[in-house]
Amino acid sequence: MDNKCPGCTAEVDANISLHCDACNRPMHYSCLALAADVAAACDRARRMSSHVKILCADCDNNFRSFVSHSGSIEEVFTEKLRNLIKEEYKELITDIKSLRSEVNVLKESNIDLVKLLTSGNGDVVATAKSLPLGKNSYASKVVVEKKIVVKPKNTAQSVTKTRSDVLKNVNIIEEEIAITKVKPVSSGGLIISCKDENCGKKLQQIASTSLAQNYDIREVNVLYPRVRVVGIPGGMSESPFLSYLKKQNPDLIS
Ligand SMILES: [Zn+2]
Ligand SMILES: [Zn+2]
């Protein structure tokens, strides 16, 4: 800590000085033009009340110019608080905007889903393959990876063996196949997620030639969203149900 009096810049003996409440530097009684007993009284007063502060000339000047430039402490504080809230608010708005766009994407994909489920006359006609994916549908945004399932024909085989067979037979590095995730599934199988369509195709092609003897290799179908409706009275058939669905969700069904 700086042990020099801000008045005379000489070192100070603690016994003949008062310290500044802001910068903590010690000040000579003499540099404060205070008699020892008066200085001691000031010090006592400060210790007795938290409202009494002693400032050196530098700190006092700083404080005054701060207050005169920027209004009262209260105003300064309010201004700071206002800025803080403004910043937080901006972030919040950004979050809300991105949530809204996600909701819109979900809505659009819901429309696609309803289109899938219904035809003009309310019959179920479409299969997953003919789902008319909107350009902005949820599915079209999230489906990027290509997943390949490798399942041993011997269902008692361990996943470890499957894993090592794949590694032995598919030179992932040489073929530049970017794998994002490997997940074990039942009966010793593996789902291998590839970064994109290309990598997936390559993996499938190589595995299909080198591992075909002991493994079934296929791609995982793109997962289209599925809706399960429960609690329908037993007697209701499909067609009235779908027309209710349409009638009650007019904003979803075009
Ligand atoms: Zn001094
Ligand atoms: Zn000070």
Side-chain angles (χ1 to χ4, degrees):
M1 194 179 64
D2 195 346
N3 208 26
K4 288 180 180 142
C5 168
C8 65
T9 68
E11 298 236 338
V12 182
D13 181 341
N15 292 326
I16 50 157
S17 70
L18 283 176
H19 70 268
C20 166
D21 276 315
C23 69
N24 234 356
R25 284 181 298 178
M27 301 166 281
H28 290 115
Y29 295 162
S30 52
C31 291
L32 292 168
L34 293 177
D37 57 340
V38 179
C42 290
D43 204 23
R44 259 202 314 281
R46 147 165 83 185
R47 267 185 257 131
M48 287 166 68
S49 166
S50 62
H51 296 286
V52 177
K53 300 288 178 211
I54 296 173
L55 296 180
C56 70
D58 293 343
C59 291
D60 187 42
N61 281 337
N62 286 343
F63 178 73
R64 278 170 205 277
S65 71
F66 173 76
V67 170
S68 67
H69 279 124
S70 41
S72 73
I73 295 278
E74 218 166 283
E75 278 167 26
V76 173
F77 182 72
T78 311
E79 185 56 29
K80 282 202 187 302
L81 199 62
R82 195 174 290 140
N83 286 337
L84 200 69
I85 292 172
K86 229 187 257 172
E87 284 304 304
E88 291 290 318
Y89 183 70
K90 257 189 228 158
E91 267 178 45
L92 199 65
I93 291 293
T94 318
D95 284 352
I96 290 175
K97 271 189 191 152
S98 85
L99 276 174
R100 272 208 188 121
S101 73
E102 270 177 47
V103 167
N104 282 337
V105 168
L106 278 170
K107 264 191 192 160
E108 278 177 47
S109 101
N110 226 343
I111 294 171
D112 291 337
L113 189 71
V114 173
K115 278 185 191 153
L116 163 75
L117 284 173
T118 60
S119 73
N121 56 23
D123 292 333
V124 173
V125 288
T127 62
K129 277 208 171 125
S130 62
L131 174 63
L133 284 181
K135 232 207 282 169
N136 285 319
S137 74
Y138 192 66
S140 72
K141 290 217 164 140
V142 294
V143 177
V144 231
E145 293 189 336
K146 195 86 187 164
K147 295 181 178 179
I148 306 297
V149 199
V150 180
K151 269 215 153 172
K153 289 179 178 166
N154 167 16
T155 54
Q157 184 180 304
S158 74
V159 176
T160 320
K161 167 102 169 81
T162 308
R163 202 186 289 259
S164 78
D165 276 356
V166 171
L167 281 176
K168 255 183 257 163
N169 288 283
V170 183
N171 194 333
I172 288 158
I173 296 174
E174 201 126 284
E175 299 293 340
E176 295 181 330
I177 298 172
I179 288 171
T180 54
K181 200 169 156 193
V182 178
K183 196 178 134 200
V185 288
S186 61
S187 314
L190 279 179
I191 292 182
I192 303 170
S193 305
C194 301
K195 198 190 86 199
D196 53 29
E197 178 95 20
N198 237 349
C199 291
K201 284 251 158 76
K202 225 188 276 175
L203 173 65
Q204 188 180 12
Q205 195 192 343
I206 296 168
S208 297
T209 45
S210 58
L211 292 166
Q213 205 181 338
N214 298 315
Y215 291 91
D216 287 321
I217 290 120
R218 59 180 174 81
E219 70 181 75
V220 179
N221 291 329
V222 171
L223 195 63
Y224 292 106
R226 223 193 263 180
V227 177
R228 178 176 297 201
V229 184
V230 295
I232 297 171
M236 183 180 272
S237 63
E238 212 163 74
S239 168
F241 164 69
L242 290 174
S243 62
Y244 288 145
L245 190 70
K246 280 171 93 175
K247 218 183 281 171
Q248 293 185 355
N249 298 280
D251 52 328
L252 286 183
I253 298 165
S254 51

